[in-house]
Amino acid sequence: MQKPTETRLQGLLAPEETPRLLLRLPRAEDAETLYRTVRGSHQSLSQFLSWCTQDYALGDAITWLRDAEAAARAHQGFHYLLFRSEEHTSELQSPCNLVCRLLLEKK
């Protein structure tokens, strides 16, 4: 029998999908999508997030994804990406929602 904390942890790790949205932990293969989304939202994001500079590079996305995966594996933090599932694309949800997600993550 699983302990209650193990059950809650599995719930945090499992993707959640609705007809329109997919919420899941980031993966290494999300690097290009994350990079394009952040670069495409640079003007909006940079107002709120000091790490979002004009020099933001693909390597920064790769580093964040690697750190996010390590934190989840160590059960020290859980970061999520939000995708539009009705389009069945690998595109992150709109830049505005990325700003909101990142701001909530920093609290």
Side-chain angles (χ1 to χ4, degrees):
M1 177 175 254
Q2 287 185 326
K3 296 178 184 176
T5 53
E6 289 176 5
T7 302
R8 283 193 299 267
L9 182 61
Q10 287 178 347
L12 289 172
L13 299 174
E16 290 290 330
E17 188 165 11
T18 69
R20 294 182 44 226
L21 299 172
L22 169 64
L23 180 72
R24 66 165 172 74
L25 294 170
R27 303 178 196 149
E29 61 265 20
D30 295 324
E32 182 67 34
T33 300
L34 179 60
Y35 168 73
R36 280 193 327 266
T37 302
V38 170
R39 290 298 299 161
S41 305
H42 173 261
Q43 285 187 316
S44 299
L45 291 173
S46 63
Q47 296 176 60
F48 306 103
L49 304 167
S50 60
W51 57 262
C52 187
T53 66
Q54 286 186 303
D55 298 329
Y56 184 83
L58 181 58
D60 297 318
I62 292 168
T63 298
W64 184 84
L65 291 166
R66 187 178 19 219
D67 292 348
E69 183 180 7
R73 242 190 342 264
H75 304 176
Q76 294 179 340
F78 299 94
H79 304 278
Y80 296 89
L81 297 178
L82 182 64
F83 297 87
R84 282 183 258 183
S85 60
E86 78 271 9
E87 295 176 7
H88 301 289
T89 70
S90 62
E91 294 301 313
L92 283 167
Q93 183 63 330
S94 72
C96 177
N97 288 329
L98 178 63
V99 170
C100 294
R101 184 191 63 79
L102 291 169
L103 288 173
L104 288 172
E105 183 177 285
K106 291 195 71 96
K107 286 186 176 184

